[in-house]
Amino acid sequence: MWTEKYRPLRLEDLVNQRDIVERLKSMLNSPNEMPHLLFAGPPGTGKTTVALCIARSILRDYWRDYTLELNASDERGINTVRDRVKTFARYIDKRTGIPFRIIILDEADEMTGDAQTALRRIMEESSRICRFILICNYSSGIIEPIQSRCAIFRFSRLEKEDIVNYLKKICEHEKVKYSDKALSLIHELAEGDLRLAINILQSSSALGEVSVENVKKISGMSGKAKVGEMVNMALEGRFKEARERLLELMRVYGMSERDVIKYANEEVFKLNLPNLDEVAEALARYDYRLIVGAHPDIQLTAMIAELGRIGKGASTSTTKKKESS
Amino acid sequence: MWVEKYRPKSVEDMVGNEDSRIGFLNWLKEWRMGSKPALLIGAPGTGKTTLVHLTANRLGLNIIELNASDVRTKERMERKLGPMLDSQGLFNERPLIFLDEVDGMYDRQDRGGVEFVEELMERSPAPIVMAANVEDDKKITKLIRKSRVFRFRRLPPRFMEIYIEDIIKKEKVRFGKEAIRILVKEAKGDMRAAINSAQSLAGLSAEELRSVISSRDQSYSLREGLESFFNAKSKEKAYEALRSCDATPRDKVRLAYTSIINGNLSNDELIEALEGLGDADEIIRRIERTQEWRILRYFDRVLAYSLFKALPKGRVSYNEDDMPWDLKLRMWNESRALRDASKSLSKFLHASSREIMSVFMSYLLFILSKDKESMERFVTLLGLEGSVLKVLMKEADRVVSRV
C-alpha cells in the first residue's frame, strides 16, 4: 500500500502540522523528560505517523522491540490491555541506553469511562518504564485525569495545497499520469484525510491514470459513499435493497450503527432534498434512540422505512410544485 | 412438599423405565477406573436424579453433587472436586460425582465448565454420572459419544395414576379418580409435575379442575402468542395475546421484528409497523436505563395497538430469522474472511482492524483485483487460509462491479 510506502519516517518530512513538529522537536532534545502524550485530531492528519516518528527517534534501532501498538477497538477489554502492558513493561536492557518503552494506544476515546479510569492506573503503575502516546479523534472523549497527565497536541485537517503537493510527489515517484483537476477532486473527496486521499490515488492509478473520470469511479468505494447509496435507496422506497445494504455494511464491514447514522447525516446534506428538515429530524431521533441503547437492527431498519416515507412525500410534493408552476 | 415426602425410598418403589434403572445399577456395580461415565437423558420428572441417589445409597457411595444452582465455572468445580481427586485412598468412603442438568451449562456463566467435565472424564478416580433433559444440544452430543447413555421415557399415565392415588389415600384428602386422570394427562409423563399439582389442586372436582387447567393454558409460549397476535381479530384480542405471552418485552420486540421483516407486506405497511416497533423498543431501553419498571404497563398496549393498526391479518407469521438463510450464510462467510484479513493487516498498516475495514479494505481489494497472482501473494503473506482467498476474490469482484 502506498500509505505505508510513503509514510514519513522523520518528523521533518511530515506534511504541515508545523507547530506540532516544532514543539515535539524541542521536547525530543531531552527525551528523558518526555511526558505522556495525547494526540487528538481528525483521521489521516498524521497522528500515528508522528507517534511512530517519535518512537524511531527516541528508541533508534530498538524501536520495533520497545514499542507496543494497541488499538482500543481491537483489544477486548481493559484487562487484556493491562495484561499486555504488564508483560511489555517488565524491564529495559540497560545496555541499550534507552530511556523508556513506548506504548501507542490508538482510538483511546473509544474506551468507556471506566476503562479509562483503569487505564489511568495502568499508566501510573508502569510510568517508571513506559511512556504512553494516546491517540484519539476528540480529546473531549478522554477523561480529565488522563488529559491532565498528558501533553496534548491537536492535529488540524490538512490544507488542500499540502495534500495535492504530496499526491503529486507520489505520482511522480510512481511514474503515474495525473491531472491537477483529478488531484483536487481527490482532496475534496478525502476532506483533509491524507491517508484516504492516498488510497483513492492508488486505486484510481490502478485504472490506468489519475484522471477526474477515474477518481469519480473510485469515489463510490468509501464506506461513506456506500451509506449514501443506502440512504438513496431508502429515499426511493427500495426498502429491501436498502436493508440488505445496511446489514452488509454492519455485518460484513463491521461498520458501527453510530457510524451509519453519522455518515448518513453527512450524505443527506449533499443530496439537495426538498424536505431536508424532516430527514435531519428523523436521523437525529434515531441517533438519540441508539444512544439510549436501543436495538440497532430494529432502529436502523425503522429509520430506512421512515426515510422511504419521507422520500415519497418529497417526490409527490416536487411533482405538485411542477404542476403548479 | 409432597414431592420430597413421597420420593421413592428404594429403587424398587420407582415406576417406569425399568431397563434403564437395571442397566444403570449394573453399570455402577461394574464401574472401575477408566470406565466410561454414565449419561442419563430424559424429560423432567422421569426419575433420573432419584435413581442416582437411591442407587448410590444402596451401593454405599457418597454423592458429590453439582447442579444448575451452583455456578459451574472451571475454578469452582475444581475447588469442589479437587480435594476428592487428590486424596484418593486417604478416606474409606467411595465417592460418586453427580453433575445434574449438564445441558444447563452455559458457556458464558459456566466458563470452561464443559471442558472441565471432559477433562474430568479422562482422569476421574470415581464414577461420574451426568443428567440432561435434551439431547439435541451440541454440548450434549459431544458428551453422548463419550458416555454410556441411559434414556428415560416419559412415564405412562397408568403408572402415574396409581402412584398419585396412593398418595391421595395416605394424605386422606378427597380427590376423584376422574380428577386424577385429568391431572396426570396434563402432567405429560412428568411425575414431579403431577405430584405438585396434586398437592396444590387436591379437593377440586373434575369440573373445577378442567376450568383451572384450561385457564392456565392461556399463558402462551412466545411462538403461540405471536401467532395469535398476528391473527387477532380485534385490537383488544391482539393486546390480550401479547400480554399473556410468557416472555420478556425485549424478546417480544425482537421476534415481532424478525416476523414482520419476513412477512408478506407492502412498503407502506412495513414502514408503519417498523415505526411502532421502534417506539416500543425505545420504551424498553428507557425502562432499563431509568429502572422505572412501572412504565412497563404501557409497553404491551403500545406495541399491540400500533402493530394491529399497521398489519393486515394473516400476512405475518412467526419467524426467528432476521434475514434469509442464504444471505446470512454469505454474510457470515464474508465477514469472517474480511475480519481475518484485516486483523493480519493491522500490524502492517498501523491501524485497527475496524479502521482497515472502513478506510482500506475496498481500495486494497480493488488494487489487488487487477491480477489474481498478487491476490494470492497477499493472502500467503498474511498467512491466511485458502478459503479466505476465495471470499476476497468474490468481494473484490463486487467492489469492481460498483466502480
Side-chain angles (χ1 to χ4, degrees):
Chain A
M1 295 297 286
W2 289 356
T3 46
E4 276 314 302
K5 191 171 173 187
Y6 294 98
R7 193 194 279 280
L9 297 180
R10 297 178 310 157
L11 283 177
E12 296 83 65
D13 304 334
L14 208 74
V15 181
N16 208 323
Q17 314 292 8
R18 280 174 202 108
D19 310 347
I20 291 174
V21 171
E22 285 312 309
R23 274 170 67 201
L24 279 172
K25 266 187 173 165
S26 63
M27 205 175 267
L28 288 178
N29 287 334
S30 44
N32 282 319
E33 285 152 29
M34 188 184 101
H36 298 302
L37 306 178
L38 174 61
F39 294 169
T45 50
K47 300 181 298 297
T48 308
T49 303
V50 170
L52 292 172
C53 286
I54 290 174
R56 254 190 224 97
S57 145
I58 295 180
L59 308 178
R60 300 184 311 278
D61 295 346
Y62 303 102
W63 80 273
R64 275 179 202 282
D65 296 332
Y66 284 83
T67 310
L68 175 67
E69 271 185 82
L70 294 173
N71 278 302
S73 66
D74 279 351
E75 307 304 327
R76 259 169 308 162
I78 190 66
N79 285 328
T80 45
V81 172
R82 189 195 302 274
D83 289 346
R84 294 197 58 184
V85 169
K86 234 182 207 158
T87 38
F88 175 74
R90 269 190 315 232
Y91 68 96
I92 289 178
D93 191 337
K94 283 264 160 54
R95 283 166 297 180
T96 57
I98 277 166
F100 43 71
R101 287 169 180 257
I102 293 179
I103 296 175
I104 301 174
L105 180 62
D106 209 344
E107 304 179 341
D109 50 347
E110 300 279 322
M111 297 172 92
T112 61
D114 288 346
Q116 290 189 31
T117 313
L119 175 68
R120 176 190 144 189
R121 290 280 307 144
I122 297 173
M123 287 169 76
E124 276 162 3
E125 283 162 14
S126 57
S127 68
R128 215 166 40 82
I129 293 189
C130 294
R131 286 296 176 280
F132 277 78
I133 302 180
L134 304 180
I135 297 180
C136 62
N137 289 135
Y138 303 102
S139 63
S140 59
I142 305 287
I143 57 171
E144 284 288 332
I146 290 186
Q147 287 201 36
S148 79
R149 280 170 176 75
C150 296
I152 304 178
F153 293 84
R154 294 182 202 284
F155 288 66
S156 46
R157 278 187 199 282
L158 297 174
E159 299 297 323
K160 179 176 179 183
E161 199 192 325
D162 294 321
I163 287 194
V164 169
N165 284 339
Y166 208 79
L167 296 181
K168 250 183 213 165
K169 252 198 331 214
I170 294 177
C171 287
E172 273 150 22
H173 204 270
E174 294 285 337
K175 303 196 171 57
V176 182
K177 252 177 81 180
Y178 67 92
S179 75
D180 286 340
K181 269 202 182 133
L183 295 189
S184 53
L185 179 59
I186 292 181
H187 159 258
E188 252 171 65
L189 291 170
E191 294 171 9
D193 180 342
L194 185 54
R195 184 173 61 178
L196 182 57
I198 298 176
N199 278 336
I200 299 175
L201 181 79
Q202 189 177 6
S203 300
S204 33
S205 78
L207 285 172
E209 57 174 318
V210 183
S211 62
V212 171
E213 192 191 345
N214 284 345
V215 171
K216 269 188 186 152
K217 279 183 189 162
I218 296 303
S219 68
M221 269 162 35
S222 72
K224 213 187 279 181
K226 282 185 204 155
V227 174
E229 215 178 322
M230 178 198 86
V231 170
N232 254 330
M233 288 172 178
L235 286 167
E236 284 166 17
R238 288 145 69 198
F239 173 80
K240 284 235 155 75
E241 282 169 84
R243 178 165 184 264
E244 200 174 316
R245 178 58 54 86
L246 169 74
L247 292 172
E248 193 178 287
L249 283 170
M250 290 178 53
R251 307 264 169 100
V252 180
Y253 277 87
M255 190 179 279
S256 71
E257 59 271 16
R258 302 291 300 281
D259 278 349
V260 172
I261 291 215
K262 193 176 87 187
Y263 291 151
N265 195 39
E266 288 171 24
E267 290 297 306
V268 288
F269 286 101
K270 296 180 191 161
L271 287 177
N272 205 7
L273 295 166
N275 42 3
L276 190 59
D277 53 335
E278 280 175 61
V279 176
E281 198 249 308
L283 291 182
R285 196 168 61 246
Y286 286 103
D287 199 2
Y288 172 74
R289 287 181 174 186
L290 290 178
I291 295 173
V292 210
H295 194 297
D297 257 22
I298 297 180
Q299 295 301 342
L300 290 180
T301 305
M303 182 183 87
I304 292 178
E306 186 161 344
L307 287 181
R309 182 160 65 189
I310 296 173
K312 206 168 160 193
S315 62
T316 49
S317 67
T318 42
T319 43
K320 262 182 214 152
K321 259 182 221 158
K322 268 179 207 159
E323 278 163 14
S324 59
S325 65
Chain B
M1 289 268 288
W2 287 5
V3 183
E4 289 308 321
K5 196 167 162 191
Y6 293 100
R7 202 185 268 279
K9 302 288 180 295
S10 76
V11 184
E12 284 74 26
D13 293 344
M14 296 181 71
V15 291
N17 290 307
E18 194 153 344
D19 305 351
S20 294
R21 277 189 282 141
I22 295 170
F24 178 70
L25 180 67
N26 288 334
W27 167 83
L28 193 54
K29 271 185 188 159
E30 285 157 19
W31 188 90
R32 47 196 95 290
M33 234 177 124
S35 296
K36 277 183 168 183
L39 174 58
L40 316 184
I41 302 178
T46 48
K48 301 183 296 296
T49 311
T50 306
L51 177 65
V52 174
H53 280 269
L54 292 178
T55 315
N57 276 348
R58 164 165 301 182
L59 299 181
L61 298 173
N62 193 17
I63 295 186
I64 302 173
E65 184 170 348
L66 284 170
N67 58 37
S69 56
D70 305 308
V71 180
R72 287 181 295 195
T73 61
K74 189 173 174 206
E75 294 94 285
R76 289 277 182 94
M77 287 170 70
E78 245 166 9
R79 204 179 312 148
K80 188 146 181 187
L81 297 177
M84 187 276 296
L85 296 176
D86 298 334
S87 64
Q88 259 306 292
L90 271 181
F91 303 101
N92 254 342
E93 55 192 23
R94 294 187 303 142
L96 176 149
I97 301 172
F98 181 35
L99 304 169
D100 205 353
E101 304 165 38
V102 278
D103 44 353
M105 287 175 82
Y106 292 109
D107 295 324
R108 264 234 319 252
Q109 291 121 307
D110 300 341
R111 200 168 311 133
V114 177
E115 287 75 13
F116 179 73
V117 170
E118 284 169 6
E119 207 185 301
L120 188 68
M121 281 162 57
E122 314 264 314
R123 64 182 166 108
S124 171
I128 300 177
V129 181
M130 298 170 283
N133 289 142
V134 290
E135 56 180 301
D136 48 1
D137 184 278
K138 228 168 63 197
K139 285 181 290 247
I140 302 299
T141 30
K142 230 162 135 192
L143 291 175
I144 286 177
R145 259 181 272 128
K146 297 182 182 169
S147 311
R148 178 75 190 280
V149 176
F150 300 98
R151 289 197 164 73
F152 286 72
R153 289 177 303 277
R154 292 175 186 278
L155 302 179
R158 190 62 206 128
F159 285 179
M160 290 172 63
E161 280 167 31
I162 295 172
Y163 207 90
I164 303 274
E165 279 167 13
D166 189 44
I167 294 177
I168 297 295
K169 217 190 292 165
K170 283 181 183 147
E171 287 290 331
K172 300 195 177 68
V173 286
R174 276 184 18 179
F175 210 33
K177 282 211 164 175
E178 176 63 12
I180 292 179
R181 211 183 55 75
I182 295 170
L183 184 146
V184 162
K185 188 170 160 237
E186 178 63 21
K188 295 188 184 110
D190 178 343
M191 184 69 96
R192 188 169 30 212
I195 298 177
N196 272 331
S197 21
Q199 187 178 9
S200 60
L201 303 172
L204 296 185
S205 69
E207 209 49 51
E208 289 166 323
L209 200 61
R210 267 200 205 95
S211 75
V212 169
I213 284 171
S214 75
S215 76
R216 206 193 272 167
D217 262 358
Q218 276 175 4
S219 156
Y220 295 109
S221 75
L222 186 50
R223 183 194 196 103
E224 292 161 339
L226 283 177
E227 282 293 358
S228 53
F229 169 71
F230 290 130
N231 290 309
K233 294 212 166 57
S234 72
K235 89 179 174 185
E236 279 314 311
K237 283 254 166 60
Y239 165 65
E240 267 317 309
L242 198 64
R243 197 177 60 95
S244 50
C245 269
D246 185 18
T248 64
R250 218 182 241 247
D251 284 344
K252 285 181 195 172
V253 168
R254 184 173 52 85
L255 286 160
Y257 166 69
T258 50
S259 303
I260 286 170
I261 263 312
N262 285 294
N264 177 22
L265 297 168
S266 76
N267 261 0
D268 287 343
E269 289 156 355
L270 246 179
I271 289 170
E272 212 176 320
L274 282 169
E275 270 173 39
L277 266 179
D279 291 342
D281 179 44
E282 190 190 354
I283 292 182
I284 305 172
R285 307 300 152 152
R286 276 180 196 256
I287 293 172
E288 285 172 359
R289 220 179 157 82
T290 57
Q291 296 290 308
E292 295 280 1
W293 293 95
R294 67 198 166 79
I295 306 175
L296 199 58
R297 73 178 86 125
Y298 307 111
F299 167 79
D300 281 320
R301 274 188 208 278
V302 170
L303 188 59
Y305 292 172
S306 62
L307 290 190
F308 182 79
K309 208 172 92 206
L311 298 173
K313 264 136 293 303
R315 286 235 231 106
V316 177
S317 53
Y318 182 85
N319 196 321
E320 293 178 7
D321 296 320
D322 53 0
M323 58 180 115
W325 265 100
D326 49 337
L327 190 62
K328 203 173 202 159
L329 202 66
R330 196 197 88 201
M331 287 197 179
W332 189 79
N333 265 327
E334 287 174 359
S335 71
R336 210 189 43 157
L338 289 178
R339 213 171 38 230
D340 287 354
S342 52
K343 265 211 185 106
S344 328
L345 270 170
S346 176
K347 49 183 174 294
F348 293 101
L349 296 176
H350 304 286
S352 72
S353 53
R354 202 191 57 183
E355 266 181 296
I356 288 180
M357 282 292 217
S358 60
V359 194
F360 286 97
M361 196 49 89
S362 299
Y363 302 103
L364 189 69
L365 289 176
F366 181 73
I367 294 162
L368 288 170
S369 70
K370 289 289 136 186
D371 61 316
K372 193 166 179 256
E373 229 174 88
S374 57
M375 187 73 104
E376 277 166 3
R377 264 210 317 277
F378 167 71
V379 169
T380 23
L381 176 77
L382 294 181
L384 297 170
E385 290 170 39
S387 59
V388 175
L389 175 69
K390 247 200 227 146
V391 176
L392 291 183
M393 294 289 287
K394 238 167 82 191
E395 189 61 30
D397 284 346
R398 196 166 317 130
V399 173
V400 173
S401 75
R402 278 198 192 132
V403 166

